[in-house]
Amino acid sequence: MSRLLSAWLCALALVAPSAGAAEQNQAPHNRYSAQLLTAINAYRAKHGVAVLDASPNLDTLAYEHSKDMAQAGRLGHEGYRERGTRSGSPVCVENVGWNYASPETQLRAWVESPGHNKNLLDAKITKAGIGESRSYVTFLACR
């Protein structure tokens, strides 16, 4: 993976302030997102870390962000703190990616990036959401 692409695939971790209940809109469910969460959970289990529960709220937040990135035509973490607050969780991590043909290649890219890999194996997170829009994908996982 090129350094430029790696720089675009930035990883963030956040300790968010406590918030009330987040919105309960539902993200569209698709095969790519479901397969990516399954692959992430298999990777976590292989490394002795508890698997993540799927969260419809986090799916929605992740999908909204992927949709925003697709509309803007660029990767980024704009609005990350707001997503953390809307999650209602004190701790969240986020990985974003673009243009990976399969969930397995997306996961491999994150595994090969130290910051992204740290997020994938964070033992503090217990639930996750994945949203995908036009080749942009967001993984948002929280406590």
Side-chain angles (χ1 to χ4, degrees):
M1 175 185 329
S2 74
R3 287 181 183 230
L4 179 59
L5 180 58
S6 183
W8 279 102
L9 294 175
C10 54
L12 293 176
L14 167 76
V15 175
S18 269
E23 294 177 15
Q24 295 300 317
N25 297 328
Q26 289 210 327
H29 294 277
N30 65 50
R31 176 174 271 172
Y32 187 101
S33 297
Q35 288 177 342
L36 182 55
L37 183 56
T38 297
I40 289 168
N41 276 333
Y43 179 70
R44 286 174 62 88
K46 178 180 173 185
H47 291 302
V49 183
V51 298
L52 301 169
D53 293 326
S55 166
N57 182 49
L58 296 180
D59 282 343
T60 297
L61 295 171
Y63 170 72
E64 289 172 357
H65 184 56
S66 292
K67 189 170 125 185
D68 289 345
M69 289 189 297
Q71 288 173 344
R74 67 174 184 264
L75 283 174
H77 292 283
E78 289 82 10
Y80 175 67
R81 290 189 183 278
E82 179 187 346
R83 282 187 295 286
T85 299
R86 288 176 60 202
S87 77
S89 175
V91 175
C92 293
V93 299
E94 178 177 273
N95 289 352
V96 298
W98 171 71
N99 210 27
Y100 286 91
S102 72
E104 295 76 20
T105 57
Q106 176 62 77
L107 177 60
R108 189 175 318 123
W110 285 339
V111 166
E112 292 173 357
S113 166
H116 292 97
N117 192 53
K118 181 180 176 185
N119 285 348
L120 292 171
L121 296 175
D122 189 328
K124 292 182 218 121
I125 58 175
T126 60
K127 57 188 175 183
I130 298 177
E132 190 254 336
S133 178
R134 296 189 328 219
S135 299
Y136 288 83
V137 64
T138 302
F139 164 73
L140 180 62
C142 303
R143 182 180 299 166

